[in-house]
Structure formats: C-alpha cells, structure tokens
Amino acid sequence: MTDATSDTRSDALASALARQDVAAVAYALRNDVVIAPLLVVKGSAEQVRVFGREGSDKRTLLLFSSGENYARMIPDEVDPQVMVADGQWLREFLTVHSETLEMVFFDVAGPAVMQAAPADLLRALGPIQPSTD
C-alpha cells in the first residue's frame, strides 16, 4: 500500500497507453507494474477498489499507469491509497473475479484512456506462473 500522490508509476504502461498500442500495453502489464486503487475504510486500505454502475452486479476494475493519475480521477478524496501490482497479481485477480468484472479501464482520467475485456487481458497476460516460494 502506498500514497497515490507518491512517485508510483509505470513509464512503460504510460508510454504504451499514449501510443494506444495494445501489444505494448500487454507487454508492460507482463513485465512491469500497474497501479491499482485501494478501498480505504476506517483508515485502512485492505482491498482493491472496484467500481459499479447503479443497478448492476457487474464491476469495473480501474488500473493506472501512476498513482498521480488515480489521484487526478478523485480530486476530492483526502488520502487516496494504491498498490503497485505486477502481471502475476493481475492474472490472479482477473481469474478470481472473472464472474463479476465486466471491463477494465486504464488511466480513465486521462491522458490516454484504454479499455479491455477481462478475458482479453487474461489471454494477453498468459497463464498463471507457478509460485517460486
């Protein structure tokens, strides 16, 4: 967990999004990091924050190339928190939540927004790797 305004970022993902290059986005997700917003409840950020439309049980995952871009999306939030995640984490998250996630958006507050279906992202990320622990 880290402060969304600190220097948490993926230059590879930001560059790929700026070019709207799907292959480069997939490469960045497999080989670099992505910023996931955390839900802060009673001062504690213990789970990934997902978003939903009113009247729908489906959820949208918003991911960011930087904590700054997430903070830009929620300017009135006092202490936005994020986690820095890797491709393995994203594969596992998408797999576990495949029934409830309908879409994934990247840098939804700009400057270069992209979206992908969770199944497409899973294909781009490849199979879950065995743990090396």
Side-chain angles (χ1 to χ4, degrees):
M1 176 177 75
T2 187
D3 185 358
T5 57
S6 66
D7 191 27
T8 52
R9 64 183 305 101
S10 169
D11 291 329
L13 182 57
S15 175
L17 291 170
R19 296 189 318 267
Q20 296 289 288
D21 184 335
V22 174
V25 168
Y27 183 84
L29 292 173
R30 285 190 308 268
N31 297 289
D32 199 24
V33 297
V34 66
I35 308 306
L38 294 175
L39 182 62
V40 178
V41 178
K42 297 181 183 173
S44 180
E46 297 178 7
Q47 69 184 40
V48 173
R49 185 176 188 178
V50 293
F51 298 82
R53 292 181 312 215
E54 191 172 322
S56 173
D57 58 348
K58 295 290 186 176
R59 299 291 175 252
T60 300
L61 176 63
L62 303 182
L63 298 173
F64 299 86
S65 61
S66 72
E68 230 174 30
N69 285 351
Y70 173 55
R72 189 175 304 128
M73 185 191 89
I74 51 166
D76 296 332
E77 196 156 313
V78 176
D79 187 26
Q81 297 291 306
V82 298
M83 68 177 272
V84 178
D86 62 10
Q88 180 78 1
W89 174 87
L90 184 54
R91 271 185 215 99
E92 292 169 3
F93 188 87
L94 293 172
T95 299
V96 168
H97 299 286
S98 63
E99 296 298 314
T100 57
L101 287 175
E102 67 178 339
M103 193 58 63
V104 179
F105 281 90
F106 296 92
D107 281 355
V108 73
V113 180
M114 282 186 81
Q115 70 181 51
D120 293 339
L121 274 180
L122 278 170
R123 278 191 294 281
L125 289 166
I128 292 177
Q129 304 300 312
S131 176
T132 57
D133 292 342

